[in-house]
Amino acid sequence: MLDIHSDTMSNGTFQKLYLQVSLQNFSYCIKNQVNNQIIQFKSFPLDPYKTVEQQLDFFFDKEEDLQNGFEDVLILHNNNLNTFVPTALFDASALGSYLQYNTKVFPTDYFDYDSISSSQMENIYVPYVAFNNYLLDKFGGFDFQHIHTNLVQHFISKSINNGTKEFFVHIGLNHFEIVIIENKKLIFFNSYEYQTPEDFIYYILFVFEQLKLNPQEQIIQLVGKIDKESELYQIVYKFIRNVQLIDLQTVSKTLSVTENQLQEHYILLQA
């Protein structure tokens, strides 16, 4: 369990609650919207042999900070059951048909979508209904979106509008996402599972080949569970000339979290 805590929570600050939900973890942070600092942050592993409701009951009973009233709550659904579609080709009445090509869908599945108007894209996904239903009882109402929507918007905001392709890689424990932006528009996104460094570089080089990018010229920016001593960094640097690690030191100080916590929960803490 990861934990940071400030013993003093001023009732005069506007606090927003962010929850990240998956089948493996339940994480939350409370952010002071005035100074953008994280007031509280915790992450719990989930037991696959217990129901979501049982475990959330335990977390909410134990965590006093989750019992506070929040005017603003955002739920991030963390899975790879999503796909991006250009708005021009989007039909809100046929959400499941877009997902059937890259994931197994069932007639009983519930689908939703997030709009990324800056890129004229829609992110269609399967949210975790059990989490939404439970949290609806707790909060009465909240906003929710897919975590990859937040990730793409984050990298779009970091990108520059100079006509070059910007290649971002967000690295998790056993998965990573590639986001490529050009002129503030999303031109490529995919999420990959990996077990070894060889898996990792294979998918990256495959994207280079598909998009006809030059490994001697294209800059690749890495963030998440990686550092210059890691095997992942070493193998990328072996095949690609211009490799950069996104600096987390300044951001971690701004948010009042450690660099390690920011590596582990890059999207949640910057949502």
Side-chain angles (χ1 to χ4, degrees):
M1 180 183 74
L2 299 174
D3 181 10
I4 65 170
H5 181 66
S6 170
D7 291 329
T8 57
M9 288 193 184
S10 170
N11 293 327
T13 61
F14 175 55
Q15 299 172 6
K16 182 171 180 176
L17 175 65
Y18 298 82
L19 296 143
Q20 180 176 315
V21 298
S22 73
L23 297 180
Q24 294 77 38
N25 295 94
F26 171 77
S27 307
Y28 77 90
C29 73
I30 301 169
K31 184 180 289 187
N32 180 335
Q33 297 294 92
V34 177
N35 60 19
N36 205 38
Q37 289 187 341
I38 304 298
I39 300 169
Q40 173 81 326
F41 164 55
K42 288 189 179 180
S43 182
F44 306 90
L46 291 178
D47 186 339
Y49 299 104
K50 295 181 180 179
T51 68
V52 166
E53 292 78 9
Q54 284 177 310
Q55 296 179 81
L56 292 182
D57 275 340
F58 174 78
F59 298 147
F60 275 85
D61 287 343
K62 180 183 176 183
E63 299 298 314
E64 292 184 6
D65 293 314
L66 288 177
Q67 299 168 20
N68 295 334
F70 294 95
E71 294 181 10
D72 205 348
V73 179
L74 175 64
I75 315 298
L76 298 176
H77 289 267
N78 185 15
N79 59 38
N80 61 357
L81 306 175
N82 76 296
T83 190
F84 288 91
V85 175
T87 300
L89 303 177
F90 177 69
D91 180 357
S93 66
L95 298 182
S97 63
Y98 297 107
L99 283 170
Q100 65 183 342
Y101 300 107
N102 61 354
T103 189
K104 183 179 288 187
V105 297
F106 300 94
T108 55
D109 282 339
Y110 172 75
F111 306 102
D112 214 309
Y113 66 95
D114 303 325
S115 295
I116 305 179
S117 56
S118 61
S119 282
Q120 299 179 336
M121 301 285 287
E122 313 295 327
N123 184 13
I124 303 158
Y125 62 99
V126 181
Y128 291 118
V129 175
F131 282 104
N132 274 4
N133 288 343
Y134 183 93
L135 297 169
L136 188 63
D137 288 338
K138 286 292 181 183
F139 300 115
F142 52 81
D143 295 321
F144 69 92
Q145 64 179 209
H146 195 271
I147 199 165
H148 292 159
T149 300
N150 205 280
L151 180 68
V152 166
Q153 290 175 321
H154 172 75
F155 284 136
I156 288 175
S157 70
K158 286 181 67 67
S159 66
I160 53 179
N161 190 4
N162 65 354
T164 62
K165 291 182 175 64
E166 296 179 82
F167 196 120
F168 299 98
V169 183
H170 170 256
I171 300 143
L173 180 61
N174 52 17
H175 67 90
F176 66 97
E177 288 73 45
I178 294 177
V179 181
I180 301 178
I181 311 293
E182 185 175 14
N183 293 329
K184 293 286 186 179
K185 303 291 184 183
L186 176 68
I187 65 168
F188 181 89
F189 172 90
N190 211 343
S191 181
Y192 305 90
E193 293 183 359
Y194 73 96
Q195 300 296 328
T196 68
E198 289 74 23
D199 296 338
F200 183 69
I201 192 61
Y202 170 82
Y203 290 121
I204 291 175
L205 292 178
F206 181 75
V207 173
F208 265 74
E209 180 184 358
Q210 292 298 302
L211 297 185
K212 296 180 171 57
L213 302 176
N214 187 342
Q216 298 299 312
E217 297 178 358
Q218 176 66 47
I219 298 172
I220 181 170
Q221 300 183 62
L222 311 175
V223 71
K225 290 185 65 63
I226 192 169
D227 57 50
K228 287 190 174 181
E229 307 305 317
S230 70
E231 290 183 297
L232 296 183
Y233 180 88
Q234 296 299 326
I235 201 167
V236 173
Y237 192 71
K238 180 179 179 181
F239 289 94
I240 299 172
R241 182 175 183 180
N242 297 304
V243 183
Q244 298 177 358
L245 289 179
I246 295 178
D247 178 37
L248 299 181
Q249 186 175 10
T250 301
V251 178
S252 64
K253 288 181 178 178
T254 300
L255 295 173
S256 295
V257 296
T258 68
E259 289 186 49
N260 183 61
Q261 288 168 332
L262 192 53
Q263 283 182 319
E264 295 270 355
H265 296 269
Y266 184 78
I267 312 174
L268 172 66
L269 295 177
Q270 296 193 89

